[in-house]
């Protein structure tokens, strides 16, 4: 990055411009097999106007911009393979407005989901999307995040109503609508959600909130096979079961969680972790419906009505990452996810389990199975993540998801990690994604080298 | 349209090419104040490949293409202000597949919603989106249709999972995903839904189905004012009420419906028409919650558990258009809709009611109030739809919706009728809609003169 740009950034941001290598290295992340590339500079913005200024400056000098929030993405979304300026939005963390009647919150992009939910505590409302990490709202919107309760409340695609979005020419676009629905024009908001910082930078988001349910009941259900667990899920959802969370853990994952959370005390077989939301009678009838479905597939249901039991259960689920690392001491987990139609989930999981066994891998499986989505944490020895065998395994996993009519990522996104799968997944449609990218960001300034593989040298 | 194009169309389509004025006039529609413009030709396609052929031919000769389904749109979406070829998809009406586990149906674009629901009768599933008219799936997707039960099941935006979409260069893009969610790339499907035939033509759609609920209970609730009805809706939804339909009729609308459907027998005050879906206990507790909320605003609830009563109620609601025309004999209804945040709905409706009174209009109001959406049917005398007073009233209505943070159309779309409001509603964002249009359809072949006002002469 040339000296005049640095000088102008210093004039604009003073001490909020950081050039030290130690800092810059905290603002990049890359999945296995991808080189870690820090940005040339990090600027911490505090207002929409500051984002506009840095966009205009970078545009003038042809410098790349990489927006950053809580830095919890997993596929290299904030890596900087072409250098440039990382736009750190973490200090834009004001909650601007909560509208109880409309059930919306208007927030700056750096607000985290835990911060928002703490703020909402007295309102009887909550923000539903929970990807595990305490991610920022801007980052969650940019990556189309979802998580354990998306089976009931939807992903970020359904939970952002409107946004202010800084475009490559420095314009601020107000996208979406505060109204519950709109039939006026192209849905630019839907293109913004999941565009991973390649088209614009969020400066404000209006998100949907949901009423805190009158009753919340959690439970576990053990099965003798993953197949029976998945059949139960499909059968229950097909009968209209209303459920807020329905999470699969395979036997390996259960063993590791048992070892980590002594109080959990599950039998070492595949389990579903469950949570029901609603008024008391709805929850009671949902639990009965679920028990009937599970019974047909040999499932043993244990319901926890007490808050402490429920908290312990979901803590165990959220601690799974740590549990797996404790179980496989000295090894490092490589997280990946795919998502397939529910009708193919069982077949896809059993083919994957066979591949794990044949490949001699340790890879516990956990899944948001109501969404057809499952994750593996492949436990690797030092240096193994670069190995051709692991890359070949990941490649078979992606191909398998596509062969079942699924997607190479249900949650983690493309970034740099899954970029090479875009053509296989989208075929002719990829050219139209690239056309939209070129139309909205003709100089390829926003997060280059991601998603469309349009390195700047090609675009110019 | 020049002779070589006609000749080539005749070679491709034989008797399925129609040039007669009488036929062509059936393939256009325009809202008040817009000139009715028939296409130069109508071709009835029977396969994806035929759509590709007509697109390639029209591209070669620079001829406009206007896709058409059941021709039930209201804002001139199928009008042909620049002539061209109307691509009639009504005979592409095969139901290709129903997947009960995934709760999806794969259909050709000409399948109507009634046809699909008849086909599904034995499956325990149904397709939810109901805009009133027996619209085609392609048309509903293209206009982002919604309707009475979108408050529970969502609009077309949430009910199309995947599609095949013919682009201006003749490519067939497979967009969306059969998986329940995906984080791989730009959401082209979301741009296609609501693009009103300006970006591509659907050749196939995969839509979501929902389980037919165990119990369906309908009812009516009378109020002494529209404000109390709207407050009840906001309060009930804020407490997490699960409701499938919640429709407002103002006192004028109720009077007209009473006169048309003698058995209805409602008091002549504002009403909500209600429908609850779920298992028996959920429905029972939802009805109780609704009664509690309504009671606080003086609402009188009457529940109909019998199928005949429920059928009569919704028949009266769906016959409202005819009821209004019978009530105001010899006059013609002009339908329009706007949509605002729930917190502003009452204020927007009362300002509108005052405007109706001050303007001396007869304009019964009905609304999908759970969505903040309301419709007026302005009853006009012969020739009055061109009048400056009516246009000024419509203009005030649109401005008012925007001033309340709403949208100029919740359901009917832009077409030609609301094109002039795109700039006021979207500001800087409109240029990015136009950029996407130019990127995907650089010659402006698809449905020109709609939505973006990019007449072909400007685009070239």
């Amino acid at each position: 990055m040339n000296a005049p740009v640095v000088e102008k950034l210093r004039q604009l941001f003073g001490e909020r411009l950081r050039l030290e290598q130690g800092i810059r290295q905290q603002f990049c992340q890359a999945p296995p097999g991808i080189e870690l590339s820090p940005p040339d500079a990090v600027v911490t913005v505090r207002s929409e106007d500051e984002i506009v200024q840095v966009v205009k400056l970078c545009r003038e000098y042809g410098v790349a911009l990489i927006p950053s929030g809580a830095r919890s993405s997993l596929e290299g979304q904030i890596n900087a393979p072409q250098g440039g300026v990382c736009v750190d939005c973490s200090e834009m963390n004001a909650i601007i407005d909560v509208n109880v009647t409309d059930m919306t919150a208007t927030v700056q992009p750096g607000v985290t989901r835990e911060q928002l939910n703490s703020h909402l505590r007295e309102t009887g409302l909550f923000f539903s999307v929970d990807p595990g990490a305490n991610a920022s709202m801007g980052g969650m919107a940019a990556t189309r995040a979802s998580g354990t309760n998306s089976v009931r409340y939807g992903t970020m695609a359904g939970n952002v109503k409107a946004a202010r979005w800084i475009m490559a020419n420095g314009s601020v676009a107000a996208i979406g609508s505060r109204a519950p629905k709109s039939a006026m024009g192209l849905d630019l908001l839907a293109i913004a959600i999941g565009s991973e910082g390649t088209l614009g930078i969020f400066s404000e988001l209006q998100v949907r909130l949901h009423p805190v349910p009158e009753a919340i009941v959690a439970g576990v259900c053990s099965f003798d096979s993953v197949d029976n667990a998945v059949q139960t899920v499909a059968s229950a959802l097909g009968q209209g079961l209303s459920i807020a969370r329905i999470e699969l853990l395979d036997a390996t994952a259960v063993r590791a969680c048992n070892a980590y959370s002594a109080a959990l005390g599950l039998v070492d077989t595949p389990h579903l972790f469950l949570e029901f939301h609603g008024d008391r009678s709805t929850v009671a009838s949902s639990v009965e419906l679920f028990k009937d479905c599970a019974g047909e597939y040999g499932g043993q249901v244990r319901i926890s009505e007490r808050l402490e039991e429920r908290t312990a259960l979901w803590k165990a689920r959220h601690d799974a990452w740590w549990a797996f690392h404790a179980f496989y001491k000295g090894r490092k987990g490589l997280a990946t996810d795919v998502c397939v139609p529910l009708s193919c989930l069982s077949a896809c999981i059993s083919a994957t389990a066979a591949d794990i066994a044949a490949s001699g891998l340790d890879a516990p499986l956990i899944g948001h199975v109501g969404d057809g989505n499952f994750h593996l944490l492949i436990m690797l020895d030092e240096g193994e993540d670069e190995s051709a065998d692991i890359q070949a395994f990941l490649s078979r996993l992606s191909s398998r998801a596509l062969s079942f009519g699924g997607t190479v990522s249900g949650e983690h996104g493309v970034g740099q990690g899954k970029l090479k799968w875009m053509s296989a997944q989208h075929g002719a449609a990829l050219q139209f994604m690239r056309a939209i990218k070129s139309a909205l960001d003709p100089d390829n300034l926003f997060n280059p080298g991601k998603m469309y593989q349009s390195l700047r040298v090609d675009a110019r």
Side-chain angles (χ1 to χ4, degrees), chain A:
Chain A
M1 210 164 67
N2 67 19
V5 182
V6 174
E7 190 43 45
K8 289 192 174 170
L9 285 171
R10 198 185 309 277
Q11 284 165 20
L12 287 170
F13 292 98
E15 291 184 354
R16 288 184 285 127
L17 167 69
R18 306 298 295 267
L19 300 166
E20 308 92 307
Q21 189 178 12
I23 299 289
R24 292 186 291 110
Q25 277 180 335
Q26 293 170 30
F27 285 82
C28 60
Q29 178 272 336
I34 303 285
E35 190 186 354
L36 205 62
S37 309
D40 298 316
V42 178
V43 298
T44 300
V45 291
R46 289 192 179 149
S47 67
E48 178 176 284
D49 190 54
E50 286 190 347
I51 302 177
V52 171
Q53 287 180 302
V54 68
V55 167
K56 287 184 172 168
L57 179 65
C58 286
R59 185 184 180 211
E60 187 184 340
Y61 288 91
V63 171
L65 293 124
I66 305 101
S68 150
R71 290 173 277 158
S72 50
S73 55
L74 293 169
E75 295 290 354
Q77 279 90 346
I78 60 159
N79 213 34
Q82 300 185 18
V85 177
C86 177
V87 182
D88 166 27
C89 299
S90 62
E91 291 189 11
M92 284 183 70
N93 60 359
I95 296 169
I96 297 164
D97 179 55
V98 174
N99 186 315
V100 173
T101 304
D102 293 335
M103 295 191 272
T104 56
T106 305
V107 300
Q108 288 188 318
V111 168
T112 68
R113 63 177 188 83
E114 290 179 4
Q115 179 194 352
L116 178 58
N117 276 323
S118 296
H119 183 87
L120 293 171
R121 208 159 275 161
E122 306 298 310
T123 62
L125 300 170
F126 76 108
F127 174 73
S128 64
V129 185
D130 171 7
N134 186 23
S136 70
M137 306 304 281
M140 288 169 72
T143 54
R144 203 184 294 131
S146 51
T148 55
N149 59 26
S150 294
V151 63
R152 164 136 186 186
Y153 298 102
T155 72
M156 284 301 274
N159 281 284
V160 182
K161 288 171 62 80
R164 292 175 66 82
W165 202 36
I166 319 300
M167 308 300 291
N169 66 1
S171 298
V172 182
I175 58 179
S177 172
R178 285 179 56 213
K181 66 188 181 188
S182 176
M184 284 292 284
L186 299 185
D187 193 351
L188 291 181
L189 179 66
I191 277 287
I193 306 294
S195 62
E196 301 189 3
T198 64
L199 300 179
I201 302 179
F202 293 113
S203 60
E204 191 178 298
L205 297 131
Q206 191 189 52
V207 297
R208 280 181 73 190
L209 307 175
H210 300 272
V212 174
E214 182 191 29
I216 301 179
V217 166
V220 292
C221 184
S222 63
F223 291 90
D224 65 0
S225 71
V226 164
D227 183 55
N228 278 327
V230 172
Q231 299 293 347
T232 297
V233 173
S235 157
L237 294 176
Q239 290 176 61
L241 177 74
S242 168
I243 194 158
R245 289 172 159 159
I246 188 159
E247 295 282 303
L248 174 70
L249 289 83
D250 73 357
T252 311
V254 169
R255 258 192 299 279
C257 288
N258 271 331
Y260 192 75
S261 308
L264 199 58
L266 304 176
V267 293
D268 282 352
T269 64
H271 274 72
L272 293 175
F273 284 15
L274 313 162
E275 194 166 279
F276 302 87
H277 290 184
D279 60 41
R280 273 175 239 291
S281 66
T282 302
V283 165
S285 66
S286 299
V287 168
E288 286 315 304
L289 172 57
F290 181 80
K291 281 182 176 170
D292 288 349
C293 295
E296 286 183 32
Y297 297 94
Q300 301 286 321
V301 182
R302 196 179 83 204
I303 293 298
S304 313
E305 306 242 6
R306 288 171 45 233
L307 176 62
E308 310 86 83
E309 278 179 17
R310 193 173 86 224
T311 308
L313 183 69
W314 294 113
K315 184 167 182 343
R317 168 64 187 82
H318 277 123
D319 284 349
W321 166 283
W322 306 110
F324 300 161
H325 280 86
F327 197 73
Y328 298 101
K329 270 204 183 54
R331 292 160 77 181
K332 199 178 76 178
L334 185 171
T336 192
D337 89 302
V338 296
C339 187
V340 297
L342 215 51
S343 60
C344 306
L345 182 59
S346 187
C348 186
I349 289 179
S350 57
T352 302
D355 194 358
I356 290 170
S359 308
L361 295 176
D362 292 310
L365 180 152
I366 51 182
H368 311 318
V369 282
D371 287 336
N373 185 208
F374 68 91
H375 298 243
L376 298 177
L377 198 69
I378 307 169
M379 305 308 301
L380 305 174
D381 290 316
E382 186 83 25
E384 203 185 1
D385 55 357
E386 308 275 342
S387 90
D389 285 353
I390 295 298
Q391 293 301 324
F393 174 84
L394 291 172
S395 178
R396 288 193 301 276
L397 178 66
S398 296
S399 291
R400 190 178 302 125
L402 292 180
S403 74
F404 282 114
T407 173
V408 173
S409 175
E411 295 196 334
H412 295 178
V414 184
Q416 290 182 272
K418 289 190 166 173
L419 188 154
K420 59 180 174 288
W421 287 96
M422 288 288 279
S423 174
Q425 178 155 343
H426 296 294
L430 182 56
Q431 68 184 297
F432 301 110
M433 296 188 198
R434 289 183 175 144
I436 291 174
K437 165 71 171 173
S438 297
L440 300 192
D441 178 19
D443 298 322
N444 196 10
L445 296 176
F446 283 163
N447 220 353
K450 315 282 173 77
M451 288 186 94
Y452 327 89
Q453 209 161 11
S454 54
L455 297 176
R456 201 178 321 172
V457 62
D458 301 335
R460 280 197 161 167

